[in-house]
Amino acid sequence: MVKAASSVKEKVIHLEKNTFESALTKAVEVLNNGGVVALPTDTVYGVTALLRHSDSLYQIKRRNPEKPLGLFIADVQQVNKWASQTVDMPTLRRLLPGPVTLIFDRSICVPASFNPATRKVGIRIPENRFVQELCARLDEPLAKPVLTLAENGVPQRSGILRYVARTGSSHRRRPDRP
């Protein structure tokens, strides 16, 4: 474990067959306690927090509060809960999961404090088993911006980032995607 300047402990777990379940359990614990977790997706690593703790993502990214965040959800059945679904289910199933964010009007389930400058919300289901299973274990979506990686492909550490689930590749592009 690496000790951060703010004395918050950080941990990097490499996702492998023998660490997958413990990594999920730890990520759920960190997120439910208000923490921020870096996750591999089907495109790049991303920092995530529960929807109710999304303000921490602005802090860690030094992100302009006017710049909206998106949501990771577990499956297409959840789209209608968090957004006004304007795409039919067959189209949703064709697009998601995958490296695309769909923009919809937000539903009343999304708190007014989330992306207050817009009535829109971006919904994404990464084609990544870890992220999908993590989202399925949570009672709310994960809020997410994109995380900039350091030169070695590892997310920059800070006092807020408490947990990194890491795979062996950078996930910048999947070989089976154009």
Side-chain angles (χ1 to χ4, degrees):
M1 266 192 212
V2 177
K3 192 169 183 177
S6 67
S7 69
V8 172
K9 292 184 179 182
E10 301 170 349
K11 186 170 187 172
V12 177
I13 292 184
H14 294 269
L15 293 177
E16 297 172 10
K17 193 175 191 176
N18 65 335
T19 61
F20 192 85
E21 189 60 38
S22 63
L24 277 171
T25 301
K26 181 64 177 174
V28 167
E29 176 189 330
V30 169
L31 290 163
N32 280 328
N33 287 318
V36 173
V37 174
L39 302 170
T41 71
D42 47 1
T43 54
V44 297
Y45 276 85
V47 287
T48 59
L50 288 176
L51 175 60
R52 70 187 136 165
H53 300 296
S54 61
D55 57 325
S56 61
L57 297 174
Y58 287 99
Q59 185 180 1
I60 194 171
K61 293 281 294 178
R62 295 187 183 115
R63 188 178 178 95
N64 179 340
E66 298 291 313
K67 194 171 181 182
L69 300 169
L71 297 177
F72 281 159
I73 59 173
D75 61 60
V76 294
Q77 300 301 325
Q78 295 180 337
V79 171
N80 207 31
K81 179 176 181 178
W82 304 105
S84 296
Q85 184 179 324
T86 55
V87 177
D88 61 53
M89 195 56 74
T91 302
L92 275 180
R93 289 187 194 287
R94 196 171 62 251
L95 295 171
L96 300 173
V100 64
T101 299
L102 301 176
I103 308 297
F104 299 104
D105 288 333
R106 66 203 280 149
S107 78
I108 60 170
C109 293
V110 177
S113 60
F114 181 77
N115 295 342
T118 181
R119 292 286 311 143
K120 303 288 184 189
V121 65
I123 302 285
R124 181 148 182 253
I125 305 170
E127 196 167 341
N128 179 285
R129 182 174 159 236
F130 184 82
V131 177
Q132 289 174 10
E133 289 197 28
L134 177 61
C135 288
R137 293 181 187 204
L138 299 166
D139 293 330
E140 63 188 281
L142 291 173
K144 57 91 184 169
V146 175
L147 176 65
T148 305
L149 299 179
E151 286 182 28
N152 64 359
V154 175
Q156 295 286 345
R157 287 177 164 74
S158 78
I160 298 168
L161 182 60
R162 300 212 318 241
Y163 183 68
V164 178
R166 181 157 194 230
T167 61
S169 65
S170 67
H171 288 270
R172 290 205 183 275
R173 176 182 264 185
R174 289 180 25 144
D176 61 334
R177 296 273 182 190

